[in-house]
Amino acid sequence: MKQFSSNFYMGGRYLAASLLIWILAAACGNNEEKANEATKQKREQVKTTTGNEKTKTIVFYGNSLTAGYGVDPSSEAFPALVQEKIDSLQLPYKVVNAGVSGETTAGGKGRIDWILRQQVDVFVLELGGNDGLRGIPIAETSRNLQAIIDRVREKYPDAKIVLAGMQVPPNMGRQYANAFRGTFEQLATKNNLVLIPFLLEHVGGIASLNQPDGIHPNPEGHRIVAENVWKVLQQLL
């Protein structure tokens, strides 16, 4: 009886020890799994955060030229073609087309706060053409463009701003045409902006590169406009 009790006691001790070892092993296994899971989650979090940090936004803010009037905005308008160039080089930028057909500088000034609700890293300002075609006083156009520039700088001080220069047909009068063209140069100099001298260079006034209205580029025209923009923009990316 004593032998049985002793054996039972010893067996109990071995059983308890075995259970303790099993529990500790299970706990270590669970802890290891938790540690691995935590490491995995941390790795995924870092990966996601890094990806977000690398992706920057280029906003094209303009009128029907930017909006892609008369062509497919998603594949033929010059902002979409710029995105293709960015993607081909695997640069971490996404293009946002914020063009509105018929937009004047006054209209652009009125909706700028809505556009600036999203992150802006590069801001391409393409407005003023409709002002010129309507004969709006150049001083007013200049004030509106300056107000847009100021608002972007206020909201995103580190954003790079590109100003697209525009010209008007000579039938608006030589004095008006010269002053209009000079406004973009003056604003670029005053605000230390990157200037595209003339957005429609090698496109404006060429019938084969424009739609029947003679104002809006056709798909081939947009490809040339995209090249005009890219020559300037690529230096900032």
Side-chain angles (χ1 to χ4, degrees):
M1 185 66 179
K2 289 182 179 180
Q3 183 66 32
F4 175 77
S5 298
S6 176
N7 289 340
F8 181 78
Y9 174 71
M10 293 299 294
R13 290 183 61 186
Y14 290 143
L15 179 60
S18 298
L19 286 173
L20 180 60
I21 292 173
W22 182 85
I23 291 171
L24 290 174
C28 290
N30 289 337
N31 289 337
E32 184 176 356
E33 289 178 4
K34 291 179 180 179
N36 290 337
E37 183 64 24
T39 301
K40 180 181 178 182
Q41 290 177 356
K42 185 175 181 180
R43 189 181 302 117
E44 291 298 324
Q45 183 178 4
V46 170
K47 181 179 179 181
T48 301
T49 301
T50 303
N52 289 337
E53 288 177 351
K54 287 185 177 179
T55 303
K56 296 183 178 181
T57 302
I58 303 173
V59 174
F60 283 88
Y61 193 66
N63 51 40
S64 56
L65 297 176
T66 293
Y69 175 86
V71 302
D72 184 348
S74 65
S75 62
E76 296 177 327
F78 76 84
L81 299 177
V82 169
Q83 181 72 75
E84 288 183 4
K85 294 178 181 294
I86 290 171
D87 293 343
S88 68
L89 296 173
Q90 297 183 337
L91 298 174
Y93 290 85
K94 66 176 181 178
V95 166
V96 173
N97 188 329
V100 173
S101 293
E103 188 81 291
T104 61
T105 57
K109 176 184 174 183
R111 70 182 175 100
I112 186 62
D113 285 338
W114 184 81
I115 293 297
L116 295 180
R117 293 189 299 177
Q118 65 186 320
Q119 176 64 36
V120 175
D121 297 288
V122 180
F123 188 85
V124 182
L125 178 55
E126 181 275 303
L127 283 175
N130 287 325
D131 291 44
L133 293 176
R134 297 180 185 186
I136 293 174
I138 293 174
E140 181 179 339
T141 297
S142 181
R143 283 195 300 270
N144 290 334
L145 290 173
Q146 184 63 60
I148 294 171
I149 294 167
D150 290 342
R151 190 69 187 97
V152 174
R153 284 250 168 96
E154 179 183 348
K155 186 69 181 291
Y156 298 106
D158 296 328
K160 300 172 183 177
I161 302 177
V162 178
L163 181 62
M166 288 299 298
Q167 298 179 20
V168 293
N171 63 336
M172 300 301 295
R174 182 180 299 275
Q175 183 176 357
Y176 184 90
N178 289 339
F180 184 85
R181 181 179 64 250
T183 294
F184 296 90
E185 299 171 356
Q186 293 165 10
L187 286 170
T189 300
K190 174 183 176 181
N191 295 280
N192 194 27
L193 308 180
V194 178
L195 177 68
I196 301 171
F198 180 35
L199 181 70
L200 298 179
E201 186 73 37
H202 306 306
V203 176
I206 302 176
S208 62
L209 297 175
N210 287 276
Q211 299 175 46
D213 61 14
I215 297 175
H216 297 94
N218 58 26
E220 179 60 29
H222 270 281
R223 283 192 282 273
I224 297 175
V225 174
E227 290 295 336
N228 294 339
V229 174
W230 185 245
K231 287 176 183 178
V232 173
L233 186 62
Q234 64 178 331
Q235 304 172 27
L236 304 179
L237 306 184

